[in-house]
Structure formats: C-alpha cells, structure tokens
Amino acid sequence: MEIQSREEQDVTVVTVTGKMDALTAPDYQKTLHALIAEGRTDFVVDFEDLDYISSAGLREILSMAKVLKKKGGQVCFANVQGTVREVFEMSGFGTIFQMHDSVAAALAKAR
Amino acid sequence: MTCRAHIDNLDEVIGFVEARADRFGLDDKKKFGLLVAVEEAFVNICRYAYQGAEGEVTLACTGDPDGFAVEIVDQGISFDLLSLPDPDITAGILEREIGGLGVAFIRKLTDEVSYRRQGGQNILRMALHVPPGGAEA
C-alpha cells in the first residue's frame, strides 16, 4: 500500500494505492495522525487505485473518523469502487461516510 | 500450505489462495471476496487461537465442478467463529464498533461456510459455488 497526500486549499487529499489489509492498514492511521498533528482537519480520501480492503482497513478508517469528529474535522471518500465499495456497503460505511464519484466532487462538498 | 500463525505470513497465505483460485478459474469478483474472507479468518487465528503461544495454520484449496473451497485449519483453542453475531452496522461514527465485521464478511463474501472441531483442530471451510456450465460461466 502507498499513501500520498496533497493540499487543495484547506482540504487534504489522501490517495491510497494497493491493498489495505491487516499488514498495511496501520500505515493509514500513522499518516493521518501525522497530518492531524500538523493541524489538518478536513480530508478527502481517494480510493481510485485501492484494489482491496478488509475489516482491518475499515477499523483504521473508523478510528481516524472518530478522532476527526472529536476535533470538529471530517473525512469523506472519493472513487470507492469495485470490491472496496462492496465491502464499504456491507459494513454500513456507505451510510456513515459521504462517498463521491470524483475527488473534484468531494472537494466541492468539503469546502 | 502450512505456516506459523503470524500476521507476517498474511501475504503468503493470500498469495497461495489467489494462485489456486486463478488456476481454478474463479471469477475476479468472487475471488476478491474470498480473499477478504480468508484474511479475516487467518488474522483471527493469528490473534486468538494460540493465546500468545506459537502455532500453525494449514490451508488447503479444492476445486470441483460445483465450486471452489478453502479449508483453514488450526490446533488452537476450540472456537467457532460462526457463533459470533453480526455487528450492528447502523450506529453512527462515534458509537460504531468495528468488532465482528470480520465474521460478517466471511458470511457475506462466501456462498457457504461451515465450522467443525475434529481431532483437536478447528476447521473452517469456505466455499464459492460456480453456476452450472463451469468456472467460465
């Protein structure tokens, strides 16, 4: 799994590539914790190139969403597709997180 | 294949099942679902089966005209993963607990799942059916 982040005005766009499994999911938490420590509170996570996610990935996503919510921040998702989308919907994550068809659409809502 | 029940072996386990599923001709959608289910079962064994002690996990894949199956075997404490309830997936972000999602995935991403305790072993069998007409259908 690879994670990259960039700033789009006040929103941080985090791009996750590859597999988010029990081995790699902790890296997502580490990356977001570091960004939050820098004062970032609004995130768009782009899953266009994420091929795979298990409950270990969902655990980190939920735990970071909780941290952000307590700080008055937020996280939404873009390009959640294929098996990753199926896993999201199955977990009810589709109802607690906003999902958008593109990063641009997510940014338009996040601002 | 047999390996130590340690999460460091996850890639090897997933790679093993994926190669067998590819050779069988399981379609991608079913295969990715199965790989998630296998991860959930394997990680659960790594975390709980041997209660901190070392132990092994054995995986075996079988394919026949009806479908493709994976059996995951450990010699840890007697535990039926399938006895766990599905989690509440309607709570809000702050109230939501993640525990139990793994077993929900195992149930939903496989067509058939069963557990048996036999000869001091936990045996979890997960199967995917193939429609009449073969793996290509």
Side-chain angles (χ1 to χ4, degrees), chain A residues 21-22 52 54-55 66 91, chain B residues 29 35 39-40 93 96 98:
Chain A
D21 61 20
Y52 175 102
S54 65
S55 71
K66 286 183 179 184
S91 324
Chain B
K29 189 171 153 52
L35 296 180
E39 176 183 330
E40 304 297 351
I93 291 180
R96 183 66 74 89
I98 205 78

Side-chain angles (χ1 to χ4, degrees), chain B residues 61-131:
Chain B
C61 300
T62 51
D64 63 34
D66 294 330
F68 182 79
V70 182
E71 272 195 355
I72 305 182
V73 180
D74 69 76
Q75 289 88 40
I77 52 164
S78 178
F79 177 63
D80 178 6
L81 193 66
L82 304 175
S83 66
L84 298 174
D86 275 347
D88 175 8
I89 60 163
T90 60
I93 291 180
L94 290 178
E95 297 75 37
R96 183 66 74 89
E97 302 287 340
I98 205 78
L101 266 186
V103 67
F105 289 174
I106 290 173
R107 287 198 184 97
K108 289 179 185 175
L109 293 166
T110 59
D111 293 326
E112 197 182 323
V113 57
S114 62
Y115 166 83
R116 64 185 194 276
R117 178 81 182 176
Q118 190 179 313
Q121 298 185 317
N122 296 302
I123 305 170
L124 186 72
R125 182 177 187 276
M126 302 185 287
L128 290 167
H129 299 154
V130 169

Side-chain angles (χ1 to χ4, degrees), chain A:
Chain A
M1 185 179 76
E2 271 185 54
I3 306 182
Q4 290 180 324
S5 67
R6 67 178 193 272
E7 304 306 319
E8 296 266 351
Q9 297 185 19
D10 291 338
V11 180
T12 305
V13 178
V14 177
T15 305
V16 185
T17 306
K19 289 172 69 169
M20 203 166 172
D21 61 20
L23 285 175
T24 60
D27 291 344
Y28 173 85
Q29 194 201 39
K30 273 184 216 152
T31 302
L32 261 72
H33 265 307
L35 291 164
I36 292 167
E38 289 170 16
R40 306 286 165 193
T41 52
D42 291 308
F43 291 87
V44 171
V45 178
D46 183 6
F47 278 166
E48 182 166 20
D49 294 315
L50 185 70
D51 305 318
Y52 175 102
I53 193 165
S54 65
S55 71
L58 297 183
R59 177 178 289 111
E60 301 302 351
I61 286 173
L62 183 67
S63 118
M64 293 321 296
K66 286 183 179 184
V67 168
L68 283 169
K69 187 149 189 167
K70 285 174 188 159
K71 288 179 179 290
Q74 59 174 344
V75 57
C76 69
F77 296 86
N79 303 309
V80 184
Q81 50 205 0
T83 312
V84 175
R85 178 137 198 146
E86 196 184 341
V87 168
F88 252 63
E89 301 287 3
M90 222 179 265
S91 324
F93 272 38
T95 58
I96 55 176
F97 292 116
Q98 285 191 28
M99 294 193 278
H100 302 280
D101 293 339
S102 66
V103 170
L107 285 170
K109 286 275 183 186
R111 286 200 180 107

